[in-house]
Amino acid sequence: MKGILRRRSYEGETVDVARRLLGTILAHATPEGIASGRIVETEAYLFQADPASHAYKGKTARNAAMFGPAGRAYIYFIYGMHYCFNVVTGAEGVGEAVLIRALEPLDGIPLMERRRGIHNLRKLCNGPAKLVDALGITRAQNGVSLLRGPLTIRAGSSDAHDIVVSHRVGVGAAHTLPLRFCIKGSKFLSAAENRVNRVLGS
DNA sequence: GACCAGATTGTCT
DNA sequence: GACAATCTGGTCA
C-alpha cells in the first residue's frame, strides 16, 4: 500500500502529530474486508503536566504500549465495554500518544454498518469506541506497528482544511488544556465535540 | 434535539 | 473497592 505514514511522522511533538493526523486515512484490513476512514478528530495525551494521560503516573502493564516506539497502536479497554485507539508518538520511553476520536467513513461502509449494527453514516465512527468497533479493531492490536499492515495510517488527499482547537471532554483531570483538534465543519465529529462547540459558542 | 442515568469490567490503590 | 480518554436508550420538549 502506498502513502503509509513513516515513523518520522509520529516522532515529532505530540501536539503537532495530533494536528497532522487530521485528514489522514486510518485503514484496517481483515479477512472480512477493508474498512477505512478519514481522521477528523484527534486528542493529544502528554506525559508531563497532563494528569489525564494514562502515562502520567508512570508505566504500568496496561499502558506499556504507550512507552513503546512511535508509530504503534495503543488500545485500552474502558468502562467495562469499550475500546479506544491511540497512536504512540514522540521518543520511545516517553509515554505520549494521540487518541483518534472520530472518522469520516470511506471504504467498507457496509462492513462497518454490519459491525456497528446501525445504518447511519454520521454515527458510524463519530466517537473513539465507535470507530474501533467499526474498523474491527480489538485489544489484539495493542502494541502493533502502524508502519505496515494490516492496520495502517496513510496520507489523505491534500485538501486544505481548517483546524479547530478546543479543550478535552470526558476526562476528569486537565480538561481545560487545548489538546483536542478537529476538522472544522466536518459532519462526522464526535457527539462530545458537538457539545463543546455549543459551550464555546462556535 | 437535549439531557440524564445505567451498563459493565479491567486496572490500580 | 472505586474509578474510568464511553455509548446507548429513555424521557421530555
Side-chain angles (χ1 to χ4, degrees):
Chain A
M1 212 186 294
K2 262 192 155 180
I4 294 176
L5 297 191
R6 309 171 75 143
R7 177 166 296 172
R8 283 184 65 164
S9 307
Y10 302 108
E11 286 177 338
E13 290 287 318
T14 298
V15 170
D16 289 340
V17 176
R19 299 179 78 108
R20 284 203 299 266
L21 284 178
L22 291 176
T24 60
I25 314 295
L26 175 62
H28 190 206
T30 67
E32 300 172 280
I34 291 179
S36 73
R38 179 169 174 250
I39 297 174
V40 296
E41 188 176 340
T42 63
E43 190 164 320
Y45 281 88
L46 311 179
F47 175 41
Q48 295 185 319
D50 188 356
S53 172
H54 289 171
Y56 183 68
K57 293 176 183 171
K59 187 175 177 178
T60 65
R62 180 199 196 193
N63 64 20
M66 237 177 142
F67 290 83
R72 295 204 181 184
Y74 166 46
I75 294 156
Y76 65 88
F77 186 68
I78 187 90
Y79 294 117
M81 58 187 89
H82 298 301
Y83 293 99
C84 293
F85 170 76
N86 300 248
V87 179
V88 179
T89 61
E92 183 168 357
V94 173
E96 299 197 342
V98 174
L99 170 69
I100 308 301
R101 291 193 60 87
L103 299 179
E104 173 183 339
L106 294 178
D107 298 320
I109 290 173
L111 174 59
M112 293 195 278
E113 287 180 335
R114 203 165 353 122
R115 283 173 173 153
R116 296 264 298 111
I118 62 170
H119 294 277
N120 183 332
L121 198 60
R122 289 180 63 156
K123 293 184 178 177
L124 206 51
C125 299
N126 68 332
K130 296 179 186 178
L131 67 93
V132 164
D133 230 23
L135 293 190
I137 295 171
T138 70
R139 203 164 37 169
Q141 269 81 34
N142 187 33
V144 302
S145 172
L146 304 173
L147 307 179
R148 54 176 57 202
L151 185 60
T152 56
I153 297 178
R154 63 178 194 269
S157 61
S158 52
D159 299 358
H161 52 255
D162 288 332
I163 294 175
V164 180
V165 183
S166 55
H167 61 75
R168 293 191 291 210
V169 284
V171 297
H175 56 83
T176 57
L177 295 175
L179 295 174
R180 220 155 52 78
F181 307 93
C182 48
I183 291 182
K184 188 176 182 180
S186 172
K187 297 187 176 110
F188 301 93
L189 302 177
S190 70
E193 169 57 26
N194 293 329
R195 269 200 299 281
V196 171
N197 277 343
R198 282 203 303 281
V199 171
L200 298 179
S202 59

